[in-house]
Amino acid sequence: MARLNDNYLKLQAGYLFPEISRRVTAFVDDHPNDKVIRLGIGDVTKPLVPAVLKAFHDGVDDMAQGSSFHGYGPEQGYSWLAQTIIDKAYKPLGVELKTSEVFISDGSKCDSANILDIFDLSCKVAIGDPVYPVYNDTNVMVGRTGQANEQGYYEGIVYMPCTEENGFAPAYPTENVDIIYLCYPNNPTGTTATKEQLKGWVDYALANDAVILFDAAYEAFITEPGIPHSIYEIEGAKQCAIEFRSFSKTAGFTGVRCGLTVVPEDLMGTTENGNKVSFNQLWNRRQGTKFNGVSYPVQKAAAAVYSDEGWAQVKEIIDYYMANAKIIREGLEAAGITCYGGVNAPYIWLKTPEGMTSWDFFDKLLNECFVVGTPGSGFGPSGEGYFRLSAFGERENVEEAVKRIVAKWGK
Ligand SMILES: *Cc1c(COP(=O)(O)O)cnc(C)c1O
């Protein structure tokens, strides 16, 4: 019988979202007449904007004619989309990139997982705590870790706690690491990093020969001026960082699937015998062999996000979500609940009132306010005592949820 990859068995059962769903279903069965408001989701709710839909349809129509039909495309994505992204998303930040450094993909969950293909198993990894679970679990799957301990920390991974005490800005690892995952603006804490903080990480990575895997999935939600949208706004980052971006949250592409990964040609790694080779070369080869690109109509739709019309429409939805975030944050703060995030990210990370555990607060919120959120402890041990509310909802639901929470906890 074939041996299976028993690293998968080290993973703790996908506990968080199934458990939330189990408790919500049980509650709804018992309370069929009460309206439950779901602010737990990390998915968008608004449909695609008209300019994107038009381009998507046009792309499909092109497929109907022999003269404009597209078969296999470049595995790296069409260069017209890469060039549009460079011109519209990077040049305004003062960042110069080549199309050969921009890889179009089906999303940044996939890319942030697949990127591990081009690193040796011996690389030491540092991740935040709490964290987007993909970074942790994919390292377990490839066999970079031992077992999890009682707290849920895997042997072999360096965890960087992000808490109120450090302002959700983790300290540099005290041991030598080769790969550092950073996600700004952050899911789940909704907090972000200043230019100085990112410069600190870039300098640290350069000094320690580490590679930063920078997840910028929420950069479009930044509202404050001066907050970096890309790691490449920091000098030296092209020598030490890979950046992931996604159309998922930015333009409602969670069900359409398009993202991109930037692997600068200047980013080098070392071979077993100490030679330097560009990670770009390896990622290009990886994608060419294991990936067949994103469908042509989807890439047409993605390009339309950056048209003047498309961007105005997309921005309006982002503003809508961020107005929800403001309503949640200000409402809860007025009720005496300590909140983080919600200014440059569509997530509010609140401190549970009265020192409740994350799950106790979940149950209370569900049973007494009929509101669903996500327990912070589900994102890592340092999330205990925190709770995530998402701003990806309908305005009237958000307002109603806040009203109920304030009625319950407001002083
Ligand atoms: C939603 C999300 C993504 C986007 O993933 P896609 O695969 O592009 O949909 C990436 N990183 C984080 C932290 C996210 O929350």
Side-chain angles (χ1 to χ4, degrees):
M1 206 178 286
R3 258 293 292 281
L4 47 70
N5 178 355
D6 43 18
N7 293 311
Y8 278 59
L9 306 179
K10 295 175 188 163
L11 294 167
Q12 291 160 327
Y15 172 71
L16 180 62
F17 289 99
E19 180 60 20
I20 290 173
S21 164
R22 193 188 66 74
R23 294 192 195 198
V24 172
T25 306
F27 180 84
V28 171
D29 286 347
D30 289 347
H31 303 77
N33 300 319
D34 292 319
K35 183 182 169 191
V36 172
I37 299 177
R38 292 160 204 263
L39 300 182
I41 39 160
D43 196 357
V44 295
T45 54
K46 293 278 179 201
L48 297 177
V49 300
V52 166
L53 267 182
K54 163 96 175 48
F56 207 169
H57 279 295
D58 288 349
V60 173
D61 287 341
D62 286 349
M63 300 299 268
Q65 309 288 335
S67 57
S68 52
F69 171 76
H70 286 69
Y72 286 125
E75 293 92 350
Q76 303 80 358
Y78 289 106
S79 59
W80 42 260
L81 177 55
Q83 191 62 55
T84 301
I85 291 165
I86 291 168
D87 292 344
K88 300 291 180 135
Y90 284 102
K91 276 201 183 135
L93 304 175
V95 175
E96 297 288 337
L97 292 171
K98 297 189 240 173
T99 53
S100 56
E101 297 176 308
V102 176
F103 296 83
I104 311 299
S105 75
D106 56 348
S108 45
K109 176 184 185 175
C110 327
D111 282 359
S112 64
N114 294 333
I115 200 78
L116 295 180
D117 273 11
I118 62 170
F119 289 90
D120 189 73
L121 216 46
S122 67
C123 289
K124 192 94 175 168
V125 166
I127 64 176
D129 165 32
V131 74
Y132 179 56
V134 175
Y135 315 149
N136 185 77
D137 292 357
T138 53
N139 276 287
V140 177
M141 288 169 167
V142 298
R144 192 168 275 122
T145 75
Q147 299 289 345
N149 67 15
E150 242 164 58
Q151 274 184 292
Y153 287 141
Y154 285 86
E155 184 197 343
I157 289 184
V158 176
Y159 291 92
M160 306 182 289
C162 305
T163 60
E164 193 175 32
E165 287 71 41
N166 60 23
F168 305 96
Y172 303 124
T174 49
E175 56 191 295
N176 204 41
V177 297
D178 304 291
I179 301 173
I180 301 163
Y181 287 86
L182 297 178
C183 174
Y184 290 117
N186 190 261
N187 176 13
T189 70
T191 57
T192 196
T194 62
K195 210 158 232 175
E196 292 65 40
Q197 285 170 325
L198 280 194
K199 183 176 184 314
W201 279 110
V202 167
D203 291 347
Y204 177 89
L206 291 172
N208 292 280
D209 275 330
V211 172
I212 295 172
L213 300 181
F214 191 77
D215 186 343
Y218 295 96
E219 61 78 27
F221 294 82
I222 292 172
T223 63
E224 291 181 317
I227 301 290
H229 287 245
S230 166
I231 186 95
Y232 304 118
E233 290 179 60
I234 313 300
E235 205 187 321
K238 280 191 192 169
Q239 282 82 53
C240 67
I242 289 171
E243 178 165 294
F244 306 101
R245 286 195 177 200
S246 174
F247 290 89
S248 284
K249 316 299 166 30
T250 305
F253 272 50
T254 51
V256 176
R257 310 307 311 146
C258 196
L260 61 116
T261 291
V262 178
V263 187
E265 287 175 355
D266 288 350
L267 176 66
M268 306 304 252
T270 45
T271 64
E272 189 181 8
N273 44 26
N275 295 327
K276 284 193 180 344
V277 173
S278 159
F279 277 106
N280 179 286
Q281 183 187 323
L282 268 65
W283 185 244
N284 193 38
R285 184 57 208 249
R286 192 266 169 212
Q287 292 299 77
T289 298
K290 292 199 187 182
F291 185 58
N292 250 331
V294 179
S295 82
Y296 167 78
V298 166
Q299 294 193 61
K300 291 291 275 187
V305 169
Y306 293 109
S307 66
D308 289 346
E309 201 191 359
W311 188 251
Q313 292 166 354
V314 158
K315 187 72 178 57
E316 197 174 314
I317 293 178
I318 292 172
D319 291 347
Y320 176 91
Y321 291 139
M322 291 312 290
N324 285 346
K326 190 169 171 23
I327 289 166
I328 299 172
R329 185 183 165 127
E330 291 180 355
L332 268 52
E333 280 179 337
I337 296 174
T338 305
C339 293
Y340 298 95
V343 176
N344 296 304
Y347 298 117
I348 288 82
W349 188 243
L350 62 92
K351 236 185 133 172
T352 58
E354 298 146 21
M356 271 180 268
T357 68
S358 300
W359 276 110
D360 283 349
F361 184 69
F362 175 91
D363 287 332
K364 228 178 167 65
L365 198 61
L366 176 60
N367 287 294
E368 297 178 22
C369 301
F370 314 154
V371 172
V372 181
T374 313
S377 54
F379 297 101
S382 296
E384 181 59 274
Y386 294 90
F387 200 79
R388 192 190 77 175
L389 291 175
S390 152
F392 291 128
E394 290 298 326
R395 178 68 41 80
E396 58 174 65
N397 288 342
V398 165
E399 284 171 344
E400 176 64 27
V402 170
K403 216 158 80 186
R404 293 181 192 173
I405 296 172
V406 172
K408 166 77 192 153
W409 278 283
K411 304 275 157 19

